[in-house]
């Protein structure tokens, strides 16, 4: 089985696939340097839904970067042939960038992300999309690394409620999570590794209580011929506003 078919198989079976050494140390360094420019830019927007900070003022998440940062290392990486070829093999369609984000989770204060499914936010019909989570630091169970309920993408999109959490506005209710019997997986990532995950796999992460930052760069792609359920998207956006208002007002 070749590289593309292997990862497509793992993605379809488990809801995610881990690719080792997808990006070089030079590519990761370029992202980290440009991240500092993004921090300055996003604060100037004064739009609270675009970024969230920890209680000690460190950036925890930055969202929708593609809406205010149009060129440079970050944008160039999303166009890399090696990445787009893999996304195309999985989606069986041309991948189109829909969002770019950083999930920074600084040491000691990095905030948790409750269990959720991306497609509850995206509302893409037939779930023809995926997320690429690129490690810019070591990421594991000890420093708030991402955790998956393996195979849970087979449930389809399930019930969520407003989380009132920074950077992750919706969550699957705790009482529902407790009834699910999927195995929890904590991938161990090194800088340059990446995970491609299904928009309906249940995932989240815990607080970073460690002495090491956990930095992830995330790009989501949708299939060129995918469509969005506009009614569901409108409802999500309404709940997002409620979440932001509750946190900051």
């Amino acid at each position: 089985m070749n590289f593309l078919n292997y990862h497509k198989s793992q993605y379809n079976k488990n809801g995610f696939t881990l690719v080792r050494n997808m990006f070089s140390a030079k590519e990761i360094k370029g992202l980290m340097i440009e991240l500092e420019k993004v921090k300055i830019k996003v604060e100037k927007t004064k739009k609270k839904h675009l970024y969230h900070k920890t209680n000690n003022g460190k950036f925890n998440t930055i969202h929708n970067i593609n809406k205010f940062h149009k060129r440079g290392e970050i944008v160039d990486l999303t166009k890399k042939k090696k990445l787009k070829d893999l996304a195309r093999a999985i989606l069986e369609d041309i991948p189109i960038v829909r969002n770019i984000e950083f999930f920074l989770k600084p040491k000691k204060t990095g905030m948790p992300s409750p269990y959720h499914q991306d497609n509850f936010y995206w509302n893409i019909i037939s779930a023809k999309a995926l997320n690429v989570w690129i490690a810019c630091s070591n990421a594991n169970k000890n420093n708030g690394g991402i955790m998956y309920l393996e195979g849970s993408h087979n449930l389809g999109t399930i019930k969520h409620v407003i989380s009132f959490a920074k950077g992750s506005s919706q969550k699957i209710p705790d009482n529902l999570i407790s009834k699910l019997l999927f195995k929890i997986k904590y991938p161990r990532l090194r800088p340059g590794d990446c995970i491609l995950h299904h928009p309906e796999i249940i995932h989240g992460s815990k607080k970073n209580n460690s002495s090491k930052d956990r930095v992830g760069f995330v790009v989501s792609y949708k299939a060129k011929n995918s469509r969005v359920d506009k009614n569901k998207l409108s409802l999500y956006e309404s709940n997002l506003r409620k979440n932001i208002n509750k946190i900051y007002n």
Side-chain angles (χ1 to χ4, degrees), residues 30-154:
L31 289 180
M32 295 301 290
I33 291 172
E34 198 156 308
L35 168 60
E36 298 309 311
K37 298 177 184 178
V38 169
K39 289 178 181 178
I40 295 169
K41 275 188 177 182
V42 75
E43 281 201 292
K44 287 182 178 179
T45 69
K46 298 183 188 259
K47 294 180 179 180
K48 291 295 185 183
H49 68 283
L50 292 181
Y51 67 98
H52 301 281
K53 291 185 175 183
T54 62
N55 290 335
N56 65 339
K58 301 287 187 180
F59 278 92
N60 195 79
T61 60
I62 306 175
H63 309 280
N64 302 122
I65 293 170
N66 46 308
K67 292 187 177 180
F68 61 87
H69 189 77
K70 302 294 185 181
R71 61 178 62 88
E73 296 284 339
I74 287 173
V75 174
D76 290 347
L77 187 138
T78 70
K79 300 176 182 178
K80 295 278 186 180
K81 184 178 185 300
K82 59 187 175 183
L83 181 55
K84 295 192 76 172
D85 282 351
L86 184 51
R88 183 169 187 163
I90 290 172
L91 295 175
E92 299 178 339
D93 197 353
I94 298 171
I96 305 295
V97 173
R98 62 165 301 281
N99 196 12
I100 301 172
E101 303 172 281
F102 270 104
F103 292 92
L104 299 169
K105 198 162 286 202
K107 59 187 178 184
K108 301 296 185 183
T109 59
M111 296 181 291
S113 175
Y115 277 120
H116 64 281
Q117 295 169 301
D118 294 333
N119 208 37
F120 190 86
Y121 304 170
W122 304 351
N123 296 289
I124 294 176
I125 297 170
S126 300
K128 281 291 187 179
L130 56 79
N131 239 347
V132 184
W133 204 102
I134 301 167
C136 298
S137 70
N138 289 327
N140 51 62
K141 186 177 181 179
N142 296 326
N143 68 346
I146 195 166
M147 55 190 180
Y148 294 102
L149 299 191
E150 186 178 55
S152 59
H153 61 302
N154 292 312

Side-chain angles (χ1 to χ4, degrees), residues 1-11 17-18 86:
M1 186 179 295
N2 67 24
F3 175 84
L4 296 180
N5 287 337
Y6 170 78
H7 286 291
K8 181 178 180 180
S9 173
Q10 291 295 299
Y11 176 94
T17 186
L18 168 57
L86 184 51

